[in-house]
């Protein structure tokens, strides 16, 4: 992609379909093909990318842990909630550090065909943060912005307001600076569709991950500006973004109209482990149940 500023600024939002097929290689789900549509747009030739071409995301642990079946007891508990009285206001769990409450109604978004809500997404991101704090040698050092960050950053007449989010990342609040992170995850909500932006601080790259194959350079442009302002404000560092680039990776493809939020959470989950995106649409039912179980336990595994 070349320099992030020269390529991103001035580009309009474009969407290109990604066609993804699955194949098994040494027991891993891998992406076998990507659409040449992105190449025709001058982004990059993605047609020959394999997992071996993305060394940063080679698996570092046994993938069985990511697909461990629920026990009969766990499955029964989750099913009774996801298929029971999904309109109940009964509080199931309270995450005290974030003060996020999950009621039966809120958890119901994890039932099949449910659209994930802010509460479930934001609580799960908190659990991923706590997971990394428990086992810092096993997971990358990441920052997980909540679903309200990008809306706040882009609110107002100019479409960019750093001051509105400046206090979100003080050292006193986080205990670290974004400059110290490996990856920064930014959920992006497009009306009824969840996408993800990733800022890779160590490799100086950006990614826009859309399970429907879209690309939004406006988002990457805004986040490039945000990182410049953030590092200058918090660390008195002026960075040259001319060498930063977009880093396209093979994506699993969403095949329905309701799993975008689940795809987004698993993008974050796998990348925060340093893993490639070794899953597919067929895994979403399992991931919904596993996410519900982890929320009920207030512990991501």
């Amino acid at each position: 992609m070349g320099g992030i500023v020269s390529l991103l600024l001035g580009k309009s939002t474009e969407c290109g379909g990604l066609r993804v097929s699955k194949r098994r290689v040494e027991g891993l789900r891998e992406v076998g093909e990507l659409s040449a549509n992105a190449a025709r747009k001058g982004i990059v030739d993605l047609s020959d990318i394999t997992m071996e071409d993305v060394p940063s995301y080679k698996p570092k642990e046994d993938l069985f842990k990511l697909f461990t079946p629920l026990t009969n007891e766990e499955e029964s508990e989750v099913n009774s909630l996801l298929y029971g009285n999904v309109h109940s206001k009964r509080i199931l769990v309270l995450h005290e550090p974030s003060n996020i409450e999950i009621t039966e109604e809120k958890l119901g978004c994890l039932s099949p065909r449910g659209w994930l809500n802010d509460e479930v997404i934001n609580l799960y991101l908190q659990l991923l943060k706590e997971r990394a704090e428990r086992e810092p040698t096993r997971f990358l050092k990441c920052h997980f912005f909540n679903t309200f960050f990008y809306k706040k950053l882009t609110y107002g007449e100019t479409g960019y307001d750093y001051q509105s989010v400046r206090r979100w990342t003080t050292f006193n609040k986080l205990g670290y600076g974004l400059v110290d992170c490996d990856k920064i995850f930014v959920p992006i909500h497009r009306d009824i569709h969840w996408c993800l932006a990733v800022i890779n601080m160590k490799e100086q790259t950006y990614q826009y991950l859309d399970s429907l194959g879209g690309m939004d350079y406006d988002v990457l442009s805004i986040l490039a500006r945000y990182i410049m302002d953030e590092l200058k404000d918090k660390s008195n560092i002026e960075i040259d973004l001319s060498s930063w680039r977009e880093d396209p990776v093979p994506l699993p493809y969403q095949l329905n109209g309701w799993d975008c939020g689940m795809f987004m959470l698993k993008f974050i989950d796998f990348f925060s482990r340093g893993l490639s995106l070794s899953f597919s649409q067929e895994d979403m039912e399992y991931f919904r149940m596993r996410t519900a179980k982890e929320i009920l336990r207030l512990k991501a595994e």
Side-chain angles (χ1 to χ4, degrees):
M1 170 173 140
I4 189 73
V5 174
S6 60
L7 183 65
L8 295 183
L9 297 181
K11 275 191 176 285
S12 60
T13 301
E14 297 178 354
C15 288
L18 293 180
R19 180 166 57 87
V20 178
S21 62
K22 297 174 298 173
R23 59 188 175 89
R24 292 278 186 172
V25 177
E26 297 179 356
L28 301 182
R29 297 175 177 84
E30 293 190 354
V31 176
E33 181 179 351
L34 293 178
S35 170
N37 190 33
R40 289 197 297 270
K41 293 179 182 294
I43 301 173
V44 67
D45 182 3
L46 300 178
S47 59
D48 296 324
I49 287 182
T50 65
M51 289 303 171
E52 288 76 12
D53 297 321
V54 195
S56 297
Y57 304 125
K58 286 186 177 179
K60 299 178 182 178
E61 63 177 316
D62 185 358
L63 285 185
F64 179 77
K65 298 176 183 177
L66 287 89
F67 297 94
T68 305
L70 276 66
T71 66
N72 290 338
E73 180 181 354
E74 291 169 342
E75 186 171 346
S76 176
E77 178 186 14
V78 169
N79 281 335
S80 67
L81 291 171
L82 297 188
Y83 294 95
N85 185 8
V86 297
H87 300 296
S88 170
K89 303 292 185 180
R90 180 170 69 95
I91 297 175
L92 298 174
V93 292
L94 167 63
H95 185 256
E96 293 185 357
S98 64
N99 200 34
I100 297 177
E101 291 181 348
I102 299 297
T103 63
E104 287 188 51
E105 180 182 34
K106 296 297 183 183
L107 192 72
C109 74
L110 289 170
S111 60
R113 300 197 176 197
W115 290 2
L116 269 60
N117 54 51
D118 290 289
E119 290 86 353
V120 161
I121 291 173
N122 289 331
L123 176 51
Y124 190 71
L125 296 180
Q126 287 287 325
L127 299 183
L128 294 184
K129 175 184 176 181
E130 293 172 359
R131 181 181 70 180
E133 291 172 347
R134 288 195 309 270
E135 301 180 75
T137 60
R138 182 182 169 197
F139 300 96
L140 300 181
K141 184 172 181 57
C142 301
H143 183 72
F144 307 88
F145 277 117
N146 67 30
T147 59
F148 306 113
F149 170 76
Y150 189 75
K151 298 175 186 177
K152 189 75 171 177
L153 177 65
T154 57
Y155 183 77
E157 295 181 359
T158 64
Y160 179 82
D161 184 4
Y162 174 72
Q163 291 302 319
S164 68
V165 296
R166 178 174 174 266
R167 295 180 179 273
W168 287 40
T169 52
T170 62
F171 188 86
N172 288 339
K173 183 172 293 186
L174 299 182
Y176 57 86
L178 296 191
V179 69
D180 301 318
C181 294
D182 295 308
K183 296 178 186 292
I184 300 168
F185 299 109
V186 184
I188 308 294
H189 194 233
R190 293 304 196 195
D191 296 325
I192 59 172
H193 184 55
W194 288 106
C195 301
L196 177 69
V198 183
I199 305 171
N200 190 321
M201 297 297 292
K202 299 302 180 184
E203 297 183 10
Q204 298 187 344
T205 61
Y206 296 90
Q207 292 164 328
Y208 186 84
L209 308 182
D210 181 349
S211 55
L212 288 179
M215 169 55 69
D216 194 331
Y217 287 108
D218 291 338
V219 170
L220 299 185
S221 176
I222 288 171
L223 292 179
R225 184 177 176 184
Y226 168 76
I227 285 298
M228 291 180 63
D229 288 342
E230 176 69 8
L231 296 191
K232 175 63 176 176
D233 180 69
K234 301 299 191 305
S235 305
N236 198 28
I237 296 175
E238 294 189 7
I239 59 174
D240 179 10
L241 291 178
S242 61
S243 62
W244 287 53
R245 59 185 174 82
E246 183 202 358
D247 184 21
V249 294
L251 291 180
Y253 192 47
Q254 175 187 346
L255 302 178
N256 58 39
W258 51 83
D259 274 328
C260 57
M262 200 68 250
F263 269 86
M264 181 188 71
L265 286 185
K266 300 320 287 186
F267 291 161
I268 298 173
D269 179 18
F270 274 62
F271 272 5
S272 66
R273 299 172 184 263
L275 296 176
S276 56
L277 302 177
S278 304
F279 59 87
S280 69
Q281 174 67 66
E282 67 184 14
D283 299 309
M284 290 301 113
E285 181 178 355
Y286 162 74
F287 284 146
R288 283 175 176 270
M289 296 190 65
R290 174 172 175 150
T291 301
K293 181 202 77 170
E294 292 178 336
I295 285 176
L296 292 172
R297 302 292 185 269
L298 290 179
K299 182 178 180 181
E301 300 171 349

